[in-house]
Amino acid sequence: RTIFSWTAILFILFLWYFIGLFGKILDKNGRYYHFCLKNWSKMSLRFLGLKIEITGQELVPKDIPVVFVSNHQSQLDIPILSAHLPVPFKWVAKIELFKLPLLGSFMKNAGYIPVYREEAQKATTTVRKILEQLNKGFPVIFFLKAPEQKMVK
């Protein structure tokens, strides 16, 4: 069942990636990419057979951009949040993800924001891009979890 589920999720990922390519033509602000991510997330969670109970969605502001901060607990955090947050948003993610084939181009086209963890001088670029997205009306979401190997004891 696990192999089938992950194979199906990868197939769905490729499907929504190619559907997302139309986003470059149809939508310059990334809402179409969010639509693709939201649907990929919902379908993936369904294939995994997960039943997720969400409470408090009515408390999420829909008329003003906000910053969402979450702990990164598992690989399912991204599809769960993508599927169930009731507003389109922009991810803040490590720059390494932007370098991956397919995923990286999807993230760039969607207007997601790279974080340069190894280059402190580029932090201002990240902050500027976060402010740009907030000014465009998009909420921004990121995870607060330092990689274990970087933590100081």
Side-chain angles (χ1 to χ4, degrees):
R1 176 172 161 82
T2 302
I3 292 172
F4 171 76
S5 295
W6 285 106
T7 303
I9 289 169
L10 285 174
F11 173 76
I12 294 167
L13 176 64
F14 284 116
L15 172 71
W16 282 107
Y17 171 79
F18 289 110
I19 292 171
L21 290 177
F22 291 108
K24 272 187 131 169
I25 300 164
L26 301 172
D27 178 22
K28 297 295 181 198
N29 66 18
R31 291 186 190 275
Y32 185 78
Y33 287 96
H34 184 76
F35 168 79
C36 293
L37 175 65
K38 188 172 197 76
N39 284 287
W40 169 77
S41 298
K42 285 181 177 183
M43 292 173 82
S44 297
L45 294 170
R46 205 170 304 132
F47 267 99
L48 290 172
L50 298 175
K51 303 278 188 207
I52 298 170
E53 182 179 328
I54 304 294
T55 59
Q57 281 184 311
E58 70 281 356
L59 301 174
V60 175
K62 294 175 182 63
D63 53 346
I64 59 169
V66 295
V67 176
F68 296 105
V69 181
S70 177
N71 287 327
H72 208 339
Q73 300 296 314
S74 80
Q75 293 177 344
L76 294 173
D77 294 340
I78 291 169
I80 289 170
L81 289 169
S82 297
H84 296 290
L85 273 176
V87 292
F89 56 86
K90 303 295 182 180
W91 285 105
V92 177
K94 59 185 179 180
I95 187 65
E96 294 84 359
L97 294 176
F98 288 81
K99 296 175 182 176
L100 295 174
L102 301 180
L103 179 63
S105 65
F106 183 91
M107 293 174 72
K108 288 174 197 164
N109 291 329
Y112 297 164
I113 304 158
V115 172
Y116 303 86
R117 298 182 298 174
E118 302 297 323
E119 302 174 56
Q121 69 272 20
K122 290 192 177 180
T124 56
T125 302
T126 300
V127 172
R128 184 180 45 76
K129 288 183 178 187
I130 289 171
L131 292 173
E132 283 173 14
Q133 293 300 339
L134 290 169
N135 286 330
K136 289 179 184 177
F138 283 102
V140 173
I141 185 167
F142 63 92
F143 294 111
L144 276 184
K145 182 179 178 187
E148 284 75 18
Q149 68 270 21
K150 300 285 182 188
M151 293 181 72
V152 178
K153 296 187 181 198

